[in-house]
């Protein structure tokens, strides 16, 4: 009886652990490099302390035509951060995997106007994301389609 | 012990997977689509566009002016009509509500539905029903506009787009307990085709069926929204309805200067007889300066000061409520004329916006 | 009688007000030194180093992090231990915690780096720090833009000088 109990506890433990791993792997499908539909930037999404964050890693036009220098976050509401380089800027923050291919509780920042919007991300398929930025209610928002980018040469 | 080993190995496998993924995303210049590219569609917005108002509550008020009205008569050239009624208007103003809610908002189509309500109260000093029937009618019941509208922005590719707007307005001096026939609803529409060559410019041409200057008209329209390289100056033009220059003082403060045409065709219940609709064709030009200022979050204040210049304040009698098209050159009978002195006006509103 | 009642009321109100406005007291702490390894290979472009910490360990025993009432960062000095590693174009320093939003604390410009000055230009707005430090744990995130590939690990250090105040 005691042996059965121990076995049951071990099996339950393994089940719990593997299901947690499964959940993590599902959530980690968001990790990677993505391109918004306007094709102006690449964003790399990584995981930090259990939440998902996305930073700009590539800009199609990295130089500001007015200053002739690399683009910075000139619209940041905090005046002291207006010179933070856009390359590396974290546009997506604090996403938590909710299951069923959806990440929520996060925000998306629009460097074009310095506004931060609520955001929800849905995995349409392994290589396509529906990203909806909104204000308060999801009704007041807009959905964009992002595509996954990979380094095929390196994979070979 | 075995369980511990299993757990450790599972954890290590996971770490290795992450490390391998990390390596794949390192050289960003050589990246390719995992399956296929998404289609790029032109955005409905350009950089530096004034805030898009989802919900707006505003109050409009005009300074006193003089109003004249002719006797009700058949068509006559403007010069020949004689003044029958005249008075000072000590107060003109009212509430304006506007809601514009996205129904579908994706990168390949944006469809918005909206509703607006606008109320204009007149306080006319001399408004005796016997001697001044028209002024009395205006004085006793406020003019209301209740409208439903829809806008569809359909990008055709990464540069070109179509815009369709449709609107149904229920205008008149009705009260909420005394509505007039919905047959008198005025329908407007506009269609535009345009291009956005870059992030700071969009232009379009099209045509509209409109009651903007009072009576029904069909006119060509031109849209030209532009923002300068430094994102300070620009234009927001939907000619002839409104033409504005703009200057962003900073990211939270925008000054706009220009004009807007405003108006509609209103059913006046007290002067309508025998199933005919006595309609006020009201059109005005509002040259103005507008200040938009961020209050908090996505709430913005908008304040306008300018002049209200009369464009048209005439009266038509629609037989059995049936609308007709006079155009700019038509000779159909006009039932009566009014002239309004120019007044100053101010408007203050609060909006829930998207930038 | 009424006077005495009013007096009592007034004193009670005063006690409540003073209790509510309890003065914040400064906490003397050492400069916090954090170190992390950005595991190589690190490729040209934006890379990230993160380090988790618990601010409680920096506080004197009698102060709990929940009692923190005012927090500012006086300075952050970043260091790279591998002298042969390529010099990054820029650094951005952020703080995150499980139950708050990640925030930018500051950045180092290319011009400063060129002058061997790895002092972070700090954000003016730092009100978010209290909430982050009161959370279970904190994560310091350092994003740096490498000029060229570096096929080894890179040790990144951060020395944070905090200005902390707490309410008893």
């Amino acid at each position: 009886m005691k042996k059965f109990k121990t076995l049951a506890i071990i099996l339950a433990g393994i089940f719990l652990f593997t299901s947690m791993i499964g959940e993590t792997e599902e959530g980690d499908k968001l990790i990677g490099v993505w391109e918004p539909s306007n094709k102006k930037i690449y964003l790399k999404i990584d995981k930090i302390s259990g939440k998902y964050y996305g930073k700009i890693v590539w800009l199609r036009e990295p130089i500001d035509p007015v200053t002739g220098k690399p683009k910075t976050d000139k619209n940041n509401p905090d005046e002291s951060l207006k010179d933070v380089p856009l390359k590396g800027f974290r546009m997506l923050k604090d996403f938590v995997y909710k299951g069923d291919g959806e990440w929520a509780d996060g925000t998306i920042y629009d460097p074009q106007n310095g506004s931060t919007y609520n955001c929800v991300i849905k995995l349409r398929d392994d290589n396509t994301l529906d990203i909806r930025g909104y204000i308060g209610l999801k009704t007041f928002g807009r959905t964009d389609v992002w595509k996954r980018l990979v380094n095929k040469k390196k994979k070979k | 012990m075995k369980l511990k080993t299993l757990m450790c190995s599972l954890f290590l496998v996971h770490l290795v997977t992450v490390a391998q993924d990390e390596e794949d995303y390192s050289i960003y210049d050589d990246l390719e689509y995992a399956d296929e590219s998404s289609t790029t569609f032109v955005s409905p917005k350009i950089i530096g566009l004034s805030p898009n108002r989802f919900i707006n509550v505003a109050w409009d008020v005009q300074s006193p002016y003089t109003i004249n009205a002719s006797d009700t008569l058949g068509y006559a050239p403007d010069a020949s009509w004689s003044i029958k009624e005249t008075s000072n208007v000590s107060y003109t103003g009212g509430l304006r509500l506007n809601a514009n809610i996205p129904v579908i908002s994706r990168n390949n189509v944006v469809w918005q539905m909206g509703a607006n309500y606008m109320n204009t109260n007149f306080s006319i000093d001399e408004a005796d029903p016997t001697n001044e029937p028209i002024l009395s009618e205006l004085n006793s019941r406020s003019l209301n506009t209740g409208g439903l509208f829809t806008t569809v922005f359909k990008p055709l590719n990464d540069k070109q787009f179509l815009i369709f707007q449709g609107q149904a307005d229920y205008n008149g001096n009705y009260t909420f307990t005394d509505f007039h026939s919905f047959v008198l609803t005025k329908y407007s529409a506009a269609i535009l085709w345009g291009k956005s060559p870059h992030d700071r410019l969009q232009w379009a041409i099209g045509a509209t069926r409109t009651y903007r200057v009072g009576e029904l008209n069909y006119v060509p329209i031109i849209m030209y929204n532009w923002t300068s390289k430094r994102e300070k100056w620009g234009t927001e033009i939907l000619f002839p309805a409104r033409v504005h220059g703009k200057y962003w003082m900073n990211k939270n403060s925008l000054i706009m200067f220009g004009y807007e045409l405003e108006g509609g065709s209103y059913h006046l219940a007290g002067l309508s007889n025998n199933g005919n609709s006595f309609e006020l064709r009201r059109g005005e030009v509002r040259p103005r300066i507008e200040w938009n200022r961020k209050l908090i979050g996505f709430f913005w204040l908008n304040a306008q000061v300018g002049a209200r210049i009369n464009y048209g304040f005439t009266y038509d009698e629609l037989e059995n409520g049936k609308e007709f098209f006079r155009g700019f050159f038509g000779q159909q009978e006009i039932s009566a004329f009014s002239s309004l002195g120019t007044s100053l006006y101010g408007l203050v509103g609060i909006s829930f916006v998207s930038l | 009688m009424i006077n005495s009642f009013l007096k009592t009321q007034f004193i009670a109100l005063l006690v409540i007000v003073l209790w509510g406005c309890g003065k914040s007291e400064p906490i003397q702490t050492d400069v916090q030194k954090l170190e992390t390894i950005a595991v190589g290979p690190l490729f040209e472009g934006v890379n990230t180093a993160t380090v988790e910490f618990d601010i409680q360990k920096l506080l004197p025993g009698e102060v709990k992090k929940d009692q923190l009432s005012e927090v500012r960062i006086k300075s952050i000095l970043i260091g790279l231990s591998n002298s042969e590693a390529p010099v990054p174009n820029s650094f951005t320093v952020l703080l995150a915690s499980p139950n708050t939003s990640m925030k930018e604390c500051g950045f180092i410009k290319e011009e400063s780096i060129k002058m061997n000055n790895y002092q972070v230009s700090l954000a003016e707005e730092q009100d978010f720090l209290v909430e982050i430090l009161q959370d279970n744990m904190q994560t310091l995130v350092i994003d740096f833009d490498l000029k060229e590939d570096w096929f080894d690990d890179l040790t990144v250090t951060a020395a944070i000088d905090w200005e902390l105040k707490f309410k008893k």
Side-chain angles (χ1 to χ4, degrees):
Chain A
M1 188 64 189
K2 200 179 175 187
K3 270 185 181 173
F4 177 73
K5 242 185 184 174
T6 317
L7 187 68
I9 289 169
I10 290 171
L11 282 174
I14 291 173
F15 174 76
L16 194 71
F17 185 74
T18 48
S19 62
M20 273 167 69
I21 294 254
E23 183 91 332
T24 307
E25 279 178 357
E26 270 294 302
D28 287 355
K29 282 186 177 174
L30 189 62
I31 293 173
V33 180
W34 300 89
E35 184 194 59
S37 72
N38 65 19
K39 298 184 170 66
K40 288 178 183 172
I41 51 171
Y42 296 167
L43 273 115
K44 184 179 179 183
I45 298 179
D46 45 19
K47 193 178 182 182
I48 298 169
S49 301
K51 293 198 276 187
Y52 298 87
Y53 299 86
K55 63 192 173 197
I56 299 171
V57 291
W58 180 89
L59 291 102
R60 192 171 67 194
E61 292 162 6
I63 303 299
D64 188 324
V66 176
T67 61
K69 290 180 177 172
K71 282 185 178 166
T72 63
D73 185 26
K74 62 182 179 187
N75 295 318
N76 196 309
D78 185 340
E79 200 73 31
S80 60
L81 295 175
K82 286 188 188 296
D83 289 332
V84 173
L86 269 193
K87 189 178 171 191
F89 197 88
R90 292 202 176 260
M91 262 180 70
L92 297 178
K93 285 179 180 171
D94 310 308
F95 285 86
V96 177
Y97 186 58
K98 299 288 183 185
D100 206 21
E102 186 174 307
W103 293 260
D105 302 344
T107 57
I108 186 165
Y109 176 78
D110 184 353
Q112 284 194 350
N113 56 40
S115 297
T116 301
Y117 302 90
N118 302 104
C119 187
V120 63
I121 302 175
K122 276 193 175 179
L123 191 72
R124 197 194 287 179
D125 60 54
D126 278 357
N127 299 314
T128 312
L129 295 177
D130 280 344
I131 300 239
R132 185 163 187 88
Y134 61 96
I135 307 166
L137 298 170
K138 281 181 192 162
T139 307
F140 299 111
R142 185 155 184 255
T143 303
D144 193 24
V145 179
W146 291 17
K147 297 298 288 187
R148 187 190 292 277
L149 298 168
V150 290
N151 196 333
K152 285 185 177 166
K153 284 177 202 160
K154 210 154 175 67
K155 271 196 170 169
K156 283 169 197 169
Chain B
M1 187 65 192
K2 274 183 182 171
L3 182 66
K4 236 182 193 175
T5 320
L6 176 70
M7 286 172 100
C8 284
S9 59
L10 280 172
F11 188 60
L12 280 175
V13 166
H14 177 66
L15 279 184
V16 169
T17 315
V18 170
Q20 279 173 349
D21 284 351
E22 195 71 24
E23 201 173 331
D24 286 338
Y25 308 125
S26 307
I27 305 162
Y28 305 111
D29 289 338
D30 289 337
L31 297 183
E32 296 169 49
Y33 296 104
D35 52 12
E36 56 185 19
S37 155
S38 60
T39 314
T40 303
F41 291 110
V42 64
S43 168
K45 291 179 180 176
I46 60 163
I47 292 172
L49 206 62
S50 61
N52 173 33
R53 293 174 190 156
F54 286 135
I55 296 168
N56 179 244
V57 182
W59 191 270
D60 180 83
V61 66
Q62 296 176 23
S63 66
Y65 55 91
T66 307
I67 185 170
N68 299 316
S70 71
D71 198 354
T72 52
L73 31 86
Y75 179 80
D78 284 7
S80 69
W81 66 276
S82 57
I83 296 168
K84 190 200 168 205
E85 306 171 32
T86 186
S87 177
N88 178 55
V89 183
S90 52
Y91 172 81
T92 309
L95 180 69
R96 294 171 176 215
L97 303 172
N98 194 290
N100 193 12
I101 312 295
V103 182
I104 298 173
S105 184
R106 302 186 59 85
N107 61 332
N108 61 351
V109 65
V110 179
W111 172 32
Q112 295 188 308
M113 289 285 290
N116 68 308
Y117 171 74
M118 196 170 94
N119 168 265
T120 310
N121 281 294
F122 296 92
S123 188
I124 301 172
D125 297 349
E126 309 285 331
D128 179 66
T130 319
N131 298 326
E132 292 101 7
I134 291 178
L135 300 190
S136 166
E137 179 70 7
L138 292 173
N139 188 53
S140 59
R141 299 170 78 173
S142 61
L143 296 178
N144 296 309
T145 297
L148 290 174
F149 57 90
T150 186
T151 309
V152 178
F153 177 90
K154 176 63 192 162
L156 301 173
N157 51 40
D158 62 336
K159 293 271 187 285
Q160 298 177 46
F161 59 86
L162 284 175
I163 297 175
F164 170 77
Q165 280 185 311
Q167 179 150 353
D169 283 319
Y170 185 73
N171 300 342
N173 59 355
Y174 53 85
T175 64
F176 289 100
T177 51
D178 179 21
F179 285 107
H180 62 247
S181 166
F182 281 94
V183 173
L184 300 173
T185 304
K186 308 295 178 195
Y187 298 97
S188 315
I191 188 156
L192 290 131
W193 167 87
K195 277 181 109 171
S196 181
H198 54 78
D199 282 352
R200 293 175 291 100
L201 173 65
Q202 61 182 184
W203 61 263
I205 49 170
T208 181
R209 169 196 160 98
T210 180
Y211 285 89
R212 198 166 270 273
V213 288
E215 58 190 31
L216 176 62
N217 264 309
Y218 295 88
V219 289
I221 41 177
I222 297 168
M223 185 176 96
Y224 194 85
N225 296 334
W226 165 78
T227 304
S228 70
K229 234 178 195 179
R230 290 182 187 274
E231 298 170 27
K232 283 281 182 195
W233 294 92
T235 61
E236 288 185 19
I237 295 170
L238 188 65
F239 182 80
R242 51 182 171 269
V243 174
H244 286 110
K246 67 182 171 194
Y247 177 69
W248 281 97
M249 297 166 79
N250 55 53
K251 278 288 153 189
N252 298 328
S253 190
L254 169 70
I255 298 275
M256 299 184 81
F257 44 91
Y259 79 85
E260 175 154 20
L261 289 178
E262 202 177 280
S265 183
Y266 300 81
H267 168 78
L268 301 183
L271 299 171
S272 299
N273 299 306
N274 308 321
N276 291 350
S277 176
F278 194 81
E279 300 256 339
L280 163 61
R281 313 291 203 172
R282 174 197 188 195
E284 56 199 39
V285 189
R286 291 185 167 216
R288 66 196 186 189
I289 293 177
E290 179 175 345
W291 182 46
N292 291 274
R293 162 90 201 165
K294 181 180 171 179
L295 292 174
I296 186 166
F298 291 94
F299 288 92
W300 281 59
L301 170 88
N302 63 303
Q304 295 174 12
V305 284
R308 195 271 301 127
I309 301 168
N310 185 39
Y311 179 87
F313 211 87
T314 57
Y315 308 88
D316 278 326
E317 191 158 351
L318 307 185
E319 217 173 299
N320 296 316
K322 209 176 155 194
E323 186 57 272
F324 63 81
F325 173 53
R326 179 183 286 116
F328 292 110
F329 314 104
Q331 296 288 300
Q332 287 92 339
E333 285 186 353
I334 287 174
S335 292
F337 291 94
S338 275
S339 80
L340 275 64
T342 297
S343 70
L344 298 175
Y345 89 95
L347 178 144
V348 179
I350 290 179
S351 310
F352 174 57
V353 306
S354 154
L355 292 168
Chain C
M1 182 69 183
I2 290 170
N3 265 352
S4 148
F5 177 73
L6 283 175
K7 256 185 201 169
T8 319
Q9 292 270 302
F10 178 73
I11 289 166
L13 190 71
L14 199 68
V15 167
I16 291 167
V17 168
L18 289 176
W19 183 269
C21 310
K23 219 180 160 190
S24 291
E25 289 183 26
I27 306 169
Q28 297 301 324
T29 59
D30 295 333
V31 171
Q32 186 182 23
K33 290 188 174 152
L34 298 166
E35 183 177 307
T36 182
I37 296 170
V39 181
L42 302 167
F43 294 96
E44 180 193 340
V46 185
N47 291 272
T48 299
T50 63
V51 55
E52 289 179 354
F53 63 96
D54 183 358
I55 197 71
Q56 187 63 59
K57 290 178 182 161
L58 193 73
L59 302 177
E62 71 274 14
V63 179
K64 299 282 169 242
K65 60 184 172 186
D66 295 349
Q67 294 172 278
L68 290 173
S69 55
E70 287 174 42
V71 177
R72 278 198 77 79
I73 297 173
K74 284 195 272 189
S75 70
I76 305 177
L77 188 66
I78 300 292
L80 295 177
S81 59
N82 313 54
S83 56
E84 290 157 23
V87 178
N89 290 318
S90 63
F91 287 91
T92 306
V93 179
L94 305 99
L95 265 175
S97 76
N99 301 301
T100 66
S101 177
M102 181 185 274
K103 298 280 186 188
E104 286 81 15
C105 297
F107 68 106
I108 314 180
K109 287 186 213 173
E110 194 176 2
E111 298 86 79
S112 301
I113 296 166
K114 275 179 189 164
M115 290 188 289
N116 267 338
N117 179 5
Y118 285 58
Q119 194 77 40
V120 174
S121 301
L122 294 167
E124 194 66 43
E125 166 63 46
Q126 295 192 11
D127 291 348
F128 55 86
L129 287 170
V130 174
E131 210 185 358
I132 290 180
L133 294 199
Q134 285 181 341
D135 209 345
N136 305 332
M137 54 174 259
Q138 294 76 40
T139 307
L140 183 76
V141 180
I142 302 168
D143 290 327
F144 53 98
D145 180 14
L146 278 186
K147 277 181 183 164
E148 53 194 78
D149 297 343
W150 174 250
F151 293 98
D152 204 347
D153 293 349
L154 190 63
T155 305
V156 183
T157 61
I160 309 176
D161 193 2
W162 297 98
E163 186 181 318
L164 304 169
K165 285 184 181 173
F166 78 110
K167 272 186 188 172
K168 277 184 180 169

